[in-house]
Amino acid sequence: MKITLIALSAGVLGALMSFVILRPAAEPAPAAAAKPGVVAFSDAKVRALTQEVAQLKARLAAKAAAETPPRAEAGRDSKAAIPESTDKAREKIIASRRESIKAAVAAKVEKLTEKLALNPDQATAVTIWHQSHQEAVLAAALKTPRDPKDYRLNMAYRQDLPPEVLANLPEEQQAVWLKHDADARADSVESITNGEMGFIASTLDLSREQKDQLFPHLSQLYMEDTYADFANVVDIDSLSVQKDADNERRRQFYSKIFDAGQMEKWESIAVTYKDGMLRQYGPPKPGE
């Protein structure tokens, strides 16, 4: 039926279009003959055809409306489906992330076992130590807004062996562990320092002399941080205090090696970074 209506509508519309295009603006002389192949229509016929087309369109629209849910209902259905779809995607992402964590921890423990000659009990304890930490980091990242108490999870340095293993480490493993821990902390500090150093150097257009002075200072700050647990951060206010302290540690040194323009830019960067951090861990501000 729908196809028949469409075909009929198309035929009528085609005839109308042919008439409109070919009909002259002024009334033709009565004696003028129609051109071969062209159908001549009277005004009454045109009105009848127009009315018929309108009726056909109305019937097609009514049929389409009967087969399609109302827009308001479709909107509600769509909104109801979004959380389910998002939840499924979220579950897949979390599951994938957990598999990645499991694989990374297994690879790490394998290397530590070989390097530090860990026995099976020690290896199991180390696995739990790292697995539980990474699971906590993942859980913290899924919170919106994030919990200031979780700040330490990303900021505090995580040594490779848990306290219970270190407390019972045989003497032959002690020397190997101490060197490994010193190297691991140095590698972590170097990686983080290079990140901040690169950003500041390019943003402030530092000279070679300024870079040479800046790197050891930042390295020292980050090395000190590897021995901090950041347990002092428990709410948004204490997080704000922590970021102010971090900035002040840098400000005291930067003011000695940066010119006025560079210092102004850095102050702007420091404020922006702190604001961004507080937004992550704090409730949304009015209007956001």
Side-chain angles (χ1 to χ4, degrees), residues 268-286:
S268 177
I269 293 170
V271 169
T272 300
Y273 179 75
K274 177 188 172 182
D275 288 347
M277 182 70 70
L278 295 182
R279 278 197 297 272
Q280 287 185 46
Y281 286 88
K285 295 180 180 179

Side-chain angles (χ1 to χ4, degrees), residues 38-52:
V38 176
V39 179
F41 292 94
S42 66
D43 288 343
K45 185 64 174 177
V46 170
R47 285 194 297 271
L49 289 172
T50 302
Q51 184 177 5
E52 187 175 353

Side-chain angles (χ1 to χ4, degrees), residues 18 40 54 58 98 100 105 128 155 167 208 212 215 231 256 259:
S18 298
R98 284 194 170 125
S100 298
V105 169
I128 295 173
M155 299 305 296
R208 171 53 58 188
D212 291 342
F215 189 86
K256 299 176 183 178
D259 61 34

Side-chain angles (χ1 to χ4, degrees), residues 109-242:
V109 173
E110 182 179 359
K111 291 180 180 179
L112 290 172
T113 297
E114 180 180 355
K115 187 172 185 178
L116 303 175
L118 301 178
N119 61 42
D121 289 341
Q122 290 173 325
T124 298
V126 173
T127 298
I128 295 173
W129 167 253
H130 287 289
Q131 185 82 26
S132 62
H133 175 69
Q134 291 301 322
E135 287 284 351
V137 170
L138 176 60
L142 295 174
K143 297 177 183 177
T144 305
R146 304 185 69 173
D147 187 344
K149 293 186 182 69
D150 294 332
Y151 176 78
R152 61 182 178 80
L153 293 173
N154 285 318
M155 299 305 296
Y157 177 77
R158 186 79 168 177
Q159 63 188 23
D160 283 337
L161 296 185
E164 64 269 24
V165 171
L166 287 175
N168 299 291
L169 207 61
E171 185 176 348
E172 61 271 19
Q173 290 178 306
Q174 286 285 352
V176 179
W177 159 252
L178 290 174
K179 184 178 186 310
H180 168 82
D181 185 56
D183 290 344
R185 289 176 191 271
D187 289 343
S188 175
V189 166
E190 182 179 8
S191 176
I192 300 172
T193 300
N194 281 333
E196 184 169 341
M197 174 82 179
F199 175 73
I200 293 177
S202 61
T203 304
L204 304 185
D205 193 23
L206 300 185
S207 66
R208 171 53 58 188
E209 182 181 1
Q210 287 174 317
K211 293 176 186 178
D212 291 342
Q213 296 178 73
L214 183 61
F215 189 86
H217 177 74
L218 281 177
S219 297
Q220 180 60 36
L221 294 184
Y222 281 120
M223 182 58 73
E224 293 171 2
D225 285 349
T226 66
Y227 294 95
D229 61 7
F230 297 99
N232 58 300
V233 178
V234 295
D235 54 28
I236 199 69
D237 291 333
S238 53
L239 175 58
S240 180
V241 170
Q242 178 64 52

